[in-house]
Amino acid sequence: MKKCLGLNLCLVWSLSATLTLGATRAPVTNAKGLVASSSPIASEVGAQILRQGGTAADAAVAVGFALAVTWPSAGNIGGGGFALIHADGGPDRFIDYRETAPAAAGPDFYLNAKGELDASASRVGYRASGVPGTVAGLALLHKRWGKLPWKTLLEPARKLAESGFIVDQALAESLQHSQELLEGNAETRKIFFKKGHVIGRGERLIQKDLARSIAALERGPEAFYEGSVGKAIIADIQKNRGVLSAKDLSSYKVVEREPLRRKWRDFEVVTAPPPSSGGAVLLAILGMLEKDNLEAMGSGSADYVHLLTETMKKAFADRSTWFGDPTFVSNPIDKLLDPVYLAKRRSEISMTAAAHDIKPGELPGEKPDTTHFTIRDSHGMTISNTYTLNGSYGTGIVAKGTGILLNNEMDDFTSKIGASNMFGLTQGKRNLIAPGKRPLSSMTPTFVYRGKDLILALGAPGGPTIINSVAQTLLNRLVFHMDIQQAADAPRFHHQWMPDKLLYEPFGLNPDTKKALEARGQIFRDEARTFGDVEALAWDDELRLWTGASDSRNGGAVAAE
Ligand code: GLY
C-alpha cells in the first residue's frame, strides 16, 4: 500500500519501489554486439566495425590497434598476448601471440661474470624486449575469422594517431604515474611531453610517427616482420646494443593451442593454457573450492576471504615451480588439476590458521600493466583477448621514428633462480630463458559455459593479480549472482604465495573482518591501491540478453553495436 506523508516522502517511496539501480553502474546491454575495453574510444571503434558488418575478430583487430594509440601503457603493437575465440562451427581456439626470447638470449642473459643478477636489465633498456607477437596474432585472427578488409580495421587507429584525441582522466593518471620512465627516452619524451610537462587531461595527444607506422602496416602485417616498420625497430635496438635481430622478427610464429577446459560445479570453464599459468592457477583455485558452500559463507565474509586466500597461496606455490613454455618444458597440468590432488590440497587448509611455509619477498612497487578486451558480435562469435607490453609502457622506449613502444616482457622469465621479478614472483627452472622461448604469463582470457551455452567471457590486466581478479569476478557472478558490473566492481583481494602478504583494496575489508582474518594468522599488506581492470560480457537469464561491464576502477567503457 502506498501512503504519502507529504510530497517528498511519497516520492522516495515510489522511487525505491521502482528503481533497480545498485551501488555500481548498470551493465550495458544490447540485442546485438558488445565491446568492453579499457578505452571508451577503442570500444567505440570496435562497435563501429561491428555496425559495418565486421565479425568479433574484425572488431578485435580494430580495437587491438586502437588501444595501441589510445591506451599506450598496455595497448600495443610492440608487445604480445593471447586471444580465446568462440566461433560457431568449431571448438574454442586459443591464439598464442606471446613474445619470444631473442636467439641471442639464454639463461645467463641478465647475469654478470660473477653470476650476479642485473635485475633492471630485464625491465628497462633495449635488452628487455622479447620479439613482439601482436601484429602476427591480430593478423591471424583476421585471416581465420575476419570478413572486412585488413586496411579498414587499421584505419580508425591510424586516424586517431594522426589527428590525435583528447586525453581523459584515466590516461592522464597513467601518464603521470609513469612520467619518470617516459621522460628517460628522447623519442618517448617527444610524444608524451609538451612544453616540459607530461600531457595531461583535456590535452590532445597526437602520434604522427605511430600514424605512419600504422599506414605501413595497412599494406600488410609483413611490414612489421620483414618490411619498413620492423627494419626501423631493429635498427634502433641494434644501435643501442640490444640483441633483437631481423632474423628474430622474420622467424616469429603465432601458435594455435588447445585451451584448458574443466568442469566446475554445473559449469565448464575454458581458459588459457601454458605458456600462461593463468588458466591452470584459476582452475586450481576453483577446483580446491569445488565442494565448499561458498554461498553460505557469503561474499566478503572472513571465512570466504580466508579460504580463497589459502587456495590462492597453494595454487601460486605450484605456479612458481611447475610451469613454462610447453614447447620447451613439460607442464604437469593433468596432475596439478587432478581432482584427487586438489581435494588433498584443500584438505590441508585450516579454516582457523593461515599457512606460512613461505619465504619473505617484496610485492612490486611498480604498476604492472596489461590490458584486456572482450567482444561479442550478433552472430555469437566471442573473443576474450589479453595483450601487454608487460610493465606500464613496457621499456618506456619508443623505437626511433616508429611511434612504437618496446615491451619489457623478458622480465617475465626467471632471470635467476630465487630472484623475484617486477611482480614479486619467484619462478622456477622451467621458466629460464632460452632462444625462441616464451616467458611464463599470468594472462587469463576465460570463457564459462553452462551446458553448451557460453554465459561469461572475461579477463583482466595486472600481472599475477590477473588470475585472482578473474577468479573473484567469476565467483561473484556464478556463486553470488551479482550482475556483471557488480561482479567486476566488487572489492578484490590478492595473495600470490610469495611474498606472504594479503593485498586488499581500499575499504575492501571491513575492520571486523580484517581482525577476524588477523586472528587466523593472515598477514596484510596495507597499501592503498586497487588492481585489475576487468572487461567482461555475461549472458543475463532475466533480461535474455548479453550484458557488458568495464571495471569502474579504470576509465574504460562498453560500446554497443
Ligand atoms: N606480462 C604479464 C603477464 O604476462 O603475466
Side-chain angles (χ1 to χ4, degrees), residues 217 222-235 246 249 402:
L217 294 172
E222 315 72 51
F224 192 84
Y225 292 98
E226 287 169 296
S228 60
V229 178
K231 284 194 176 111
I233 290 175
I234 297 301
L249 262 194
T402 68

Side-chain angles (χ1 to χ4, degrees), residues 98 319 370 388 390 409 412 423 440-443 463-464 466:
R98 181 79 162 153
R319 182 197 189 281
T370 292
T388 185
N390 198 23
E409 214 68 62
D412 271 347
F423 302 115
L440 186 62
S441 172
S442 298
M443 294 189 282
I466 292 173

Side-chain angles (χ1 to χ4, degrees), residues 415-459:
S415 295
K416 183 178 180 174
I417 302 279
S420 49
N421 73 357
M422 77 159 85
F423 302 115
L425 286 169
T426 316
Q427 312 192 86
K429 272 202 295 221
R430 284 177 157 84
N431 189 33
L432 282 167
I433 302 171
K437 190 173 174 183
R438 286 156 147 87
L440 186 62
S441 172
S442 298
M443 294 189 282
T444 317
T446 296
F447 292 153
V448 178
Y449 286 81
R450 190 177 51 200
K452 287 194 170 12
D453 300 326
L454 181 63
I455 56 164
L456 180 60
L458 76 166

Side-chain angles (χ1 to χ4, degrees), residues 113-131:
K114 289 191 209 147
E116 293 158 347
L117 174 67
D118 176 2
S120 69
S122 64
R123 298 172 201 175
V124 288
Y126 287 86
R127 287 162 64 84
S129 296
V131 185

Side-chain angles (χ1 to χ4, degrees), residues 94-257:
F94 186 81
I95 303 302
D96 169 357
Y97 59 95
R98 181 79 162 153
E99 300 91 328
T100 54
D108 299 341
F109 195 52
Y110 297 112
L111 306 183
N112 66 18
K114 289 191 209 147
E116 293 158 347
L117 174 67
D118 176 2
S120 69
S122 64
R123 298 172 201 175
V124 288
Y126 287 86
R127 287 162 64 84
S129 296
V131 185
T134 293
V135 176
L138 297 179
L140 182 73
L141 284 184
H142 177 249
K143 190 166 152 210
R144 291 280 301 278
W145 293 282
K147 245 171 44 187
L148 299 183
W150 171 255
K151 181 171 182 211
T152 306
L153 309 179
L154 273 62
E155 188 54 11
R158 193 199 61 75
K159 281 194 186 138
L160 282 163
E162 171 74 31
S163 312
F165 62 95
I166 300 299
V167 169
D168 64 9
Q169 185 183 345
L171 178 55
E173 282 180 12
S174 160
L175 289 166
Q176 184 79 37
H177 185 93
S178 297
Q179 69 169 318
E180 209 176 301
L181 176 73
L182 300 174
E183 207 168 6
N185 176 265
E187 192 76 3
T188 314
R189 198 162 56 237
K190 218 170 73 185
I191 299 167
F192 297 109
F193 282 69
K194 230 186 220 170
K195 295 186 185 142
H197 73 271
V198 69
I199 291 191
R201 188 175 173 187
E203 293 187 289
R204 184 169 287 273
L205 174 58
I206 295 173
Q207 301 170 81
K208 294 276 185 201
D209 286 345
L210 185 56
R212 266 189 295 278
S213 293
I214 297 172
L217 294 172
E218 283 182 345
R219 294 192 279 280
E222 315 72 51
F224 192 84
Y225 292 98
E226 287 169 296
S228 60
V229 178
K231 284 194 176 111
I233 290 175
I234 297 301
D236 193 36
I237 289 178
Q238 297 204 334
K239 190 170 148 222
N240 289 285
R241 302 208 305 270
V243 299
L244 218 145
S245 69
K247 179 135 194 297
D248 286 324
L249 262 194
S250 63
S251 42
Y252 181 83
K253 292 265 177 307
V254 177
V255 183
E256 197 172 325
R257 302 185 188 279

Side-chain angles (χ1 to χ4, degrees), residues 479-526:
V479 174
F480 301 117
H481 306 294
M482 297 181 194
D483 73 37
I484 192 60
Q485 188 69 54
Q486 292 165 338
D489 286 351
R492 293 194 276 261
F493 50 93
H494 169 74
H495 204 300
Q496 60 183 47
W497 177 59
M498 262 200 257
D500 184 10
K501 300 245 172 86
L502 178 55
L503 180 66
Y504 66 102
E505 295 187 312
F507 309 108
L509 288 177
N510 73 44
D512 292 349
T513 309
K514 194 163 171 244
K515 264 193 214 137
L517 290 163
E518 267 160 355
R520 296 178 203 203
Q522 298 293 359
I523 302 165
F524 288 93
R525 169 136 178 152
D526 293 305

